[in-house]
Amino acid sequence: MIIEKTCKVNKVILLNKRPHGKPLLTDFLITTEEVPSAKDNEILLRTEYVSVDPYLRGRMNDAKSYVPPFELNKPLKSGIIAQVIESKNADFKKGDFVSGNLAWKEYQTSDGKSLQKVAAGVAKLSSYLGILGMTGLTAYLGLTEIGKPEKGETIVVSGAGGAVGTVVGQIGKLLGCTVVGITGSDEKVALLKSKFNFDEAINYKTPGDLKAAVKKACPQGVDVYFDNVGGEISDAVLANINKYARLPVCGAISLYNQTDVQLGPRLQPIILTKSATMRGFIIGDLVEKFPPATKQLTYWLAENKIAFTETIVEGFDNLPQAFLDLFEGKNQGKMIVKI
Ligand code: NDP
């Protein structure tokens, strides 16, 4: 990573290069600018917590997608919790906390239009980036709206030790299902069973036949496969699906850094013969369902029916490394950078 030294005080992280394959620290540039001042109708924000998310990798490519790509030499952006430190906008007062899709800057101004206020003291501020934010909503709505699990069914979730996966598994248990997680370490396997109530968990990095491991963990077959990773892990699960299985395709992290098109098993015969439904979704398209979903997640959290964990990395300069670490599985639950 390149750090440009100037005497200004507001640190900013820019996209320096478009990654080829796995992103590198040199794809980011930490630079500085003057701390801006709030103009009329604006607020000045100080960044408190930054969410790093796998989907940001897609935005680093110069490719058309459901959101425009990041521009070279411009700041990256993601979910941020910030505090209002100066307000010239009647809707916000100094000290308020807000959440929004903001730039990777220590300080920035905003007209407040796309920000939501978050209540400090009700839940941990960082939880509005995870369990009560985008990843919690993704878990809840992806599972209930697309997975549609019925009591007694078997759910498999990949990427199970992460922000979305840990929540999917627990909701599956609250809905009366058997839940099996697939994750990348024995430590995460143990955590899923001890803290997050999963019935079974599989370490996909353990050498052996993953298809057979899924079969053993799911003696009744798989009714819902919540797919966070794609690739060979998903091939192994698909080989075990039941008739009328539902397959919410939430993410494909195992493929985000691939530079060529992967060839796997052809899926049509299994989807056809099992009358299965495979459906991708982008959480932003379900925005009208956010209020009841947030209410439900808040209730479960308050009643201690759902737990969450976060990996908190300290320091603005460590944002790029925290993002890279997602691809190494270094996080348990939501990866967040505290500024
Ligand atoms: P996580 O917290 O799960 O972090 C990513 C995890 O992915 C890592 O901890 C790692 O865990 C795992 N991983 C990394 N590389 C690989 C690989 N090659 N093969 C298998 N697993 C890998 O992230 P999120 O919970 O935020 O996101 C989970 C998925 O959901 C992502 O694919 C993301 O893009 C997607 N997503 C989609 C949304 C939508 O609207 N559809 C919204 C939010 C997220 P491990 O130790 O298990 O390898």
Side-chain angles (χ1 to χ4, degrees), residues 1 14-29 52-61 70 76 104 253-259 319-328:
M1 179 169 34
L14 311 178
L15 179 62
N16 188 43
K17 278 190 234 145
R18 297 203 183 278
H20 182 73
K22 208 175 253 194
L24 305 169
L25 283 179
T26 47
D27 297 329
F28 301 85
L29 173 72
V52 286
D53 300 276
Y55 82 90
L56 300 173
R57 175 64 187 87
R59 293 200 65 190
M60 295 171 82
N61 294 335
F70 290 123
L76 290 108
W104 285 14
I253 191 167
S254 76
L255 306 174
Y256 293 169
N257 293 325
Q258 299 289 342
T259 50
L319 260 167
Q321 186 62 54
F323 169 69
L324 302 192
D325 285 349
L326 290 169
F327 297 94
E328 307 298 333

Side-chain angles (χ1 to χ4, degrees), residues 234-235 238-239 241 247 264-273 276 278:
S234 300
D235 296 342
L238 258 81
I241 59 173
L247 316 171
R266 306 287 190 193
L267 296 181
Q268 290 85 350
I270 189 148
I271 299 291
L272 170 69
T273 56
M278 189 173 194

Side-chain angles (χ1 to χ4, degrees), residues 187-205:
E187 196 186 339
K188 289 189 194 178
V189 163
L191 187 75
L192 291 178
K193 294 205 269 188
S194 60
K195 179 165 178 159
F196 295 114
N197 210 16
F198 282 58
D199 296 284
E200 250 334 310
I202 299 167
N203 178 355
Y204 71 87
K205 289 183 181 162

Side-chain angles (χ1 to χ4, degrees), residues 307-321:
F308 69 98
T309 190
E310 300 168 329
T311 299
I312 305 266
V313 171
E314 301 259 346
F316 186 81
D317 292 3
N318 293 323
L319 260 167
Q321 186 62 54

